[in-house]
Amino acid sequence: TRRRIRIKAPATLRVMLVSGPRGCGKTTLVGMLKEADPRFCEPEWVATGDVDRGDNPRVRIISEDEFADVRESDAFTASFRPYGFGGEQVDFGLPTQAVVDAATRGGACVLDVDSIAARKILDYPWVEALALLAPKQDITLRFVSVWVSLPSLDDVIVRNRERLTAMLPAGAPSSAVERQLAPLRAQTTDDLEWALTSRSFDFTIINEDKETAAQELLDKVRYCFDVVS
């Protein structure tokens, strides 16, 4: 019998999720938000091996048994089985407790995630899970979701072409960029359609100018967390 996970949480749990197509500047905006409002902290993900951390720089390695304890307690907001750097599949996830810990440290947790993780986190039964994981607490969940994008699919592709071209090693053919853009276009098309039709996001920010977009993000978050009761 595995150990049942229990968590401790603040009376009001403030969580903001920021997602969007690759290359649209969401990570930059999250960084600017954290500088402007120090309440926002990012959580620590866990993995059973070394993985590509992507937008999740805080990753702690745990044992397979520890990972199984959390998973069997339904205490992951999202989990995956990506390939590690050694070619083996590893378990990778975001524990609910990590979200709570981040929110407790500063007052709010910010989740900077790609669309794949966003779908899992937005589908997570937060209210039911918190009641199960913290049965003796009365927790109020304040969850805000923000989609960051550009005006059109073509704009996203142009931005990513520029980004990938700047990353090319000296002498590498430009065709290497186009090979990467083909699957990215397909994924971005799917992401944009999902964001539009799923109605999963409270706000959309079009990031044509990062200073303007960062202020818009800050205004929306402060309104949701500080004004609306």
Side-chain angles (χ1 to χ4, degrees):
T1 302
R2 293 197 177 275
R3 179 173 61 91
R4 187 73 192 177
I5 300 294
R6 289 288 183 262
I7 68 172
K8 293 182 179 180
T12 299
L13 181 62
R14 296 177 176 84
V15 181
M16 183 185 68
L17 179 146
V18 182
S19 188
R22 182 176 293 276
C24 292
K26 64 181 177 57
T27 298
T28 298
L29 296 186
V30 167
M32 295 172 73
L33 172 70
K34 291 193 297 181
E35 287 186 7
D37 191 333
R39 288 181 301 176
F40 287 94
C41 299
E42 293 190 73
E44 181 179 70
W45 293 62
V46 296
T48 58
D50 206 1
V51 295
D52 180 1
R53 303 186 179 201
D55 294 333
N56 309 302
R58 293 172 54 87
V59 179
R60 178 168 57 93
I61 304 300
I62 64 175
S63 71
E64 293 182 0
D65 282 345
E66 288 177 290
F67 199 98
D69 282 340
V70 180
R71 180 167 51 205
E72 292 188 14
S73 296
D74 295 324
F76 275 120
T77 65
S79 62
F80 312 87
R81 283 188 62 81
Y83 285 98
F85 289 131
E88 77 288 358
Q89 282 196 304
V90 300
D91 289 304
F92 179 63
L94 176 62
T96 308
Q97 182 67 65
V99 175
V100 170
D101 289 345
T104 303
R105 282 200 307 274
C109 174
V110 57
L111 304 173
D112 172 13
V113 295
D114 62 22
S115 64
I116 297 173
R119 296 180 200 220
K120 289 178 177 286
I121 294 169
L122 290 169
D123 284 342
Y124 182 66
W126 285 91
V127 174
E128 295 85 350
L130 289 170
L132 179 65
L133 296 167
K136 296 182 179 181
Q137 291 186 257
D138 184 14
I139 303 169
T140 299
L141 176 67
R142 302 291 299 278
F143 193 105
V144 177
S145 53
V146 181
W147 182 254
V148 175
S149 189
L150 294 175
S152 70
L153 172 61
D154 286 343
D155 290 321
V156 176
I157 298 304
V158 168
R159 176 78 63 83
N160 278 281
R161 180 179 286 111
E162 293 171 349
R163 179 178 64 85
L164 292 170
T165 299
M167 295 168 57
L168 273 182
S174 60
S175 58
V177 168
E178 299 307 316
R179 285 196 298 271
Q180 294 182 68
L181 285 176
L184 189 145
R185 177 183 286 274
Q187 180 65 55
T188 301
T189 300
D190 182 67
D191 290 345
L192 293 173
E193 181 178 356
W194 166 69
L196 181 65
T197 60
S198 68
R199 299 183 179 180
S200 296
F201 292 91
D202 299 305
F203 303 104
T204 296
I205 293 177
I206 303 301
N207 185 18
E208 295 183 275
D209 174 76
K210 68 178 182 180
E211 300 294 340
T212 302
Q215 186 61 51
E216 184 180 356
L217 177 61
L218 181 63
D219 291 344
K220 291 184 184 306
V221 168
R222 285 182 171 170
Y223 174 77
C224 292
F225 286 163
D226 300 336
V227 177
V228 177
S229 59

